[in-house]
Amino acid sequence: MIAVNPMDSASVLAAFGALGVLAVVFAESGLLVVGFFLPGDTLLFPAGVLCAGSAQQPPRLALWQVLACAAIGAVAGGQVGYLIGRHGGRALLARTNSGRVKGAAARAERLLARYGYGKALVIGRFVPLLRTVLHPVAGALGVPVRTFTLWQTVGGVLWSQALVLAGYTLGASVPHIDDYLLPLVAVVVVLSLLPLVPEALRARRDRRDSPR
């Protein structure tokens, strides 16, 4: 029996391959608390790297399968997250004791209000933590189904395909790049967290300026 750590992208890919990509991306795209603990960016990028072969080693994963599974998982997960939000999402968020979940939900509401539904649903896909809670929040706020479906599909496909293809391109152009997957994953984590920096600075400034 193979022990699989669902929070470790290498473990998921080794055990399940493209189907592991589908399952994890599905959960990370809208299953609220569960999705917060799963890799997204840090699964798709290494999966793309493993799709690139070399003269010494054939590809370990099929690119078309990874691309298809990533897109299906992202779009289906977003839609399920929306349905969760429409049918009790507010109550579910109110019951959670996780400050991280509540903070991400508040950021999701601000994003939807600031940028509008379409732009927010596309931008939110590229922000860790936020993409997990954005779709349930959209459902809870009553975003129209057609509008949500269109833009979350656009965002899900762009996000998933871009990361897989970026990994594939790097893997195809740099020999033995899969030997450095852990440092690459660390770089992806740092880059994916950069969009959160301005908001964190803004929140810190607001707390400092607010009257005590």
Side-chain angles (χ1 to χ4, degrees):
M1 183 177 292
I2 300 175
V4 179
N5 178 2
M7 293 180 285
D8 177 16
S9 58
S11 177
V12 171
L13 293 171
F16 302 113
L19 289 178
V21 172
L22 191 156
V24 170
V25 170
F26 173 87
E28 203 235 6
S29 294
L31 295 190
L32 282 177
V33 179
V34 175
F36 273 86
F37 300 99
L38 297 175
D41 300 333
T42 55
L43 176 70
L44 293 172
F45 189 85
V49 172
L50 295 178
C51 291
S54 65
Q56 293 78 28
Q57 186 176 37
R60 291 182 232 180
L61 296 173
L63 179 62
W64 74 267
Q65 292 179 352
V66 172
L67 288 171
C69 286
I72 292 169
V75 173
Q79 210 66 29
V80 168
Y82 175 81
L83 293 175
I84 291 173
R86 286 199 73 157
H87 302 284
R90 285 285 188 183
L92 186 61
L93 287 170
R95 285 198 300 269
T96 183
N97 294 321
S98 172
R100 188 161 63 166
V101 172
K102 290 182 177 179
R107 287 197 298 273
E109 288 196 44
R110 290 196 296 270
L111 187 70
L112 288 165
R114 181 178 180 183
Y115 292 107
Y117 299 150
K119 190 180 292 186
L121 288 167
V122 174
I123 293 173
R125 277 287 187 175
F126 292 84
V127 183
L129 305 181
L130 182 60
R131 65 173 159 262
T132 301
V133 77
L134 178 61
H135 307 127
V137 167
L141 292 177
V143 176
V145 176
R146 289 184 180 180
T147 301
F148 174 83
T149 302
L150 170 63
W151 291 110
Q152 80 92 1
T153 299
V154 171
V157 171
L158 282 176
W159 166 68
S160 62
Q161 307 303 279
L163 279 170
V164 172
L165 291 174
Y168 175 79
T169 301
L170 187 64
S173 58
V174 180
H176 307 295
I177 191 65
D178 53 327
D179 294 337
Y180 306 97
L181 275 183
L182 285 178
L184 280 173
V185 167
V187 172
V188 171
V189 170
V190 171
L191 292 176
S192 65
L193 290 175
L194 287 180
L196 298 176
V197 173
E199 185 170 349
L201 293 175
R202 191 182 310 113
R204 181 179 179 183
R205 185 172 61 251
D206 291 343
R207 286 196 302 269
R208 186 182 63 237
D209 296 340
S210 62
R212 297 181 180 275

